[in-house]
């Protein structure tokens, strides 16, 4: 084979090699383009997911902040209710029911949004606190009558030596106080026998008005099963303690459900 033949053969072979080279170059460019497109798509998806997560986090933060505001409003209303019940014995008797109704209504109004927003644990704690406030509303006026009478009788005691005191008003006040404090512990027949003497001592003490005596005697005649809770004691006050315990449980649940800066446990 001479040189001319070899040149012809080389020329024939150069065509497919060039074609293959061009094909691989195009294939490589297409793969690079596909890779770039895929990477761009993944980046776009990741960016969109990040935006969605951020938006979701922002919505959750707003929801928790709003929940904190709603919980704080409810707590403010229940605190006012409990405080009012404590103060009710010192309120004019004609104003007691109206004052109580005002704060009891506020408790119901601020509870309603929690029914829509609160998670189960917080809603359960709110419901328990609401029930304690409802019970306080039910017994608060009777509690005020008895606690006012007992406190007034204590003020009428002899300021010196009670055992040697000869002031009939002081002695009547002390005996009436003793009757009221232990009234629920007496048998029904014993209460019936002592009723007239209680009436006499209350009036003879001179510390209560006729209306206040009548209200106290009406409760003594009824002698509700909650008598000892209503009068409480010098140290303990079971009704208020129960409500404040429910309040503490609600505060704990609210701190869990709402961010620290979104819930005030001592709202003004």
């Amino acid at each position: 084979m001479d040189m001319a033949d070899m040149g012809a053969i080389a020329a024939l072979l150069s065509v497919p090699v060039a074609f293959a080279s061009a094909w691989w170059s195009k294939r490589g460019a297409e793969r690079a383009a596909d890779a770039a497109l895929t990477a761009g798509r993944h980046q776009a998806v990741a960016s969109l997911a990040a935006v969605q997560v951020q938006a979701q986090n922002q919505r959750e933060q707003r929801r928790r902040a709003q929940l904190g505001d709603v919980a704080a409003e409810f707590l403010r209303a229940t605190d006012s209710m409990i405080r009012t019940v404590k103060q009710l014995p010192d309120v004019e008797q004609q104003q007691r029911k109206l004052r109580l109704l005002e704060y009891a209504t506020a408790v119901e109004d601020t509870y309603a949004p929690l029914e829509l927003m609160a998670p189960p644990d917080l809603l359960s704690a709110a419901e328990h606190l609401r029930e304690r406030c409802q019970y306080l509303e039910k017994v608060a006026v009777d509690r005020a009558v008895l606690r006012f009478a007992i406190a007034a009788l204590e003020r009428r005691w002899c300021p010196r030596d009670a055992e040697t005191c000869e002031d009939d008003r002081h002695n009547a006040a002390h005996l009436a106080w003793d009757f009221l404090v232990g009234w629920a512990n007496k048998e029904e027949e014993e209460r019936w026998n002592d009723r007239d003497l209680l009436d006499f001592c209350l009036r003879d003490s001179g510390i209560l008005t006729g209306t206040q005596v009548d209200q106290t005697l009406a409760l003594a005649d009824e002698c509700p099963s909650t008598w000892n809770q209503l009068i409480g004691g010098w140290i303990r006050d079971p009704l208020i303690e129960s409500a404040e315990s429910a309040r503490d449980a609600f505060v704990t649940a609210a701190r869990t459900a709402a961010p620290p800066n979104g819930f005030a446990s001592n709202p003004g």
Side-chain angles (χ1 to χ4, degrees):
M1 183 180 295
D2 58 19
M3 293 298 295
D5 293 335
M6 292 181 63
I9 293 173
L12 290 173
L13 292 175
S14 65
V15 173
V17 170
F19 177 79
S21 177
W23 185 86
W24 281 111
S25 296
K26 179 181 178 184
R27 182 63 175 169
E30 290 175 348
R31 287 180 176 178
D34 290 343
L37 182 61
T38 301
R41 186 182 299 113
H42 289 166
Q43 184 176 4
V45 171
S47 298
L48 179 60
V51 169
Q52 291 174 335
V53 169
Q54 183 179 8
Q56 183 177 358
N57 289 339
Q58 290 175 344
R59 287 194 299 271
E60 178 64 15
Q61 289 176 357
R62 287 194 297 269
R63 186 196 68 81
R64 287 165 65 90
Q66 186 178 8
L67 177 60
D69 291 341
V70 169
E73 287 294 324
F74 177 68
L75 183 64
R76 185 179 294 108
T78 57
D79 281 351
S80 296
M81 178 68 176
I82 294 171
R83 183 168 57 252
T84 298
V85 172
K86 288 180 180 179
Q87 298 170 348
L88 208 61
D90 298 324
V91 174
E92 292 291 334
Q93 63 184 54
Q94 298 87 347
Q95 299 297 321
R96 286 172 181 167
K97 289 185 178 180
L98 290 176
R99 179 78 63 86
L100 199 62
L101 179 61
E102 174 186 350
Y103 291 104
T105 300
V107 170
E108 294 302 313
D109 289 345
T110 55
Y111 173 78
L114 283 172
E115 287 188 295
L116 300 176
M117 297 180 58
D121 289 347
L122 179 57
L123 184 59
S124 176
E127 174 63 20
H128 183 53
L129 178 53
R130 176 196 183 206
E131 289 174 352
R132 297 316 304 165
C133 288
Q134 289 174 331
Y135 184 69
L136 284 180
E137 180 190 6
K138 179 180 178 181
V139 303
V141 173
D142 290 346
R143 175 184 182 276
V145 168
L146 289 177
R147 290 179 72 88
F148 178 87
I150 288 174
L153 293 169
E154 289 174 359
R155 292 194 300 271
R156 181 63 87 183
W157 289 357
C158 182
R160 296 176 295 278
D161 187 353
E163 293 184 358
T164 61
C165 179
E166 297 181 359
D167 189 320
D168 290 340
R169 294 179 305 168
H170 294 167
N171 292 330
H174 192 278
L175 186 54
W177 177 90
D178 190 57
F179 273 142
L180 290 180
V181 169
W183 196 251
N185 301 324
K186 295 176 179 290
E187 297 292 336
E188 184 176 357
E189 183 177 355
E190 188 178 3
R191 290 197 298 270
W192 176 259
N193 292 333
D194 290 340
R195 202 273 190 188
D196 288 344
L197 182 55
L198 172 61
D199 186 342
F200 172 80
C201 290
L202 287 171
R203 298 184 191 280
D204 199 48
S205 69
I207 193 68
L208 301 176
T209 66
T211 300
Q212 291 167 343
V213 170
D214 291 341
Q215 290 176 335
T216 304
L217 289 174
L219 283 172
D221 291 341
E222 180 186 350
C223 192
S225 59
T226 56
W227 182 280
N228 288 332
Q229 293 184 46
L230 294 176
I231 64 174
W234 280 330
I235 299 176
R236 295 198 59 193
D237 191 341
L239 286 176
I240 299 300
E241 287 177 3
S242 178
E244 290 178 341
S245 176
R247 178 200 189 274
D248 292 342
F250 174 77
V251 169
T252 299
R255 284 175 174 167
T256 300
N261 61 350
F263 172 72
S265 59
N266 295 292

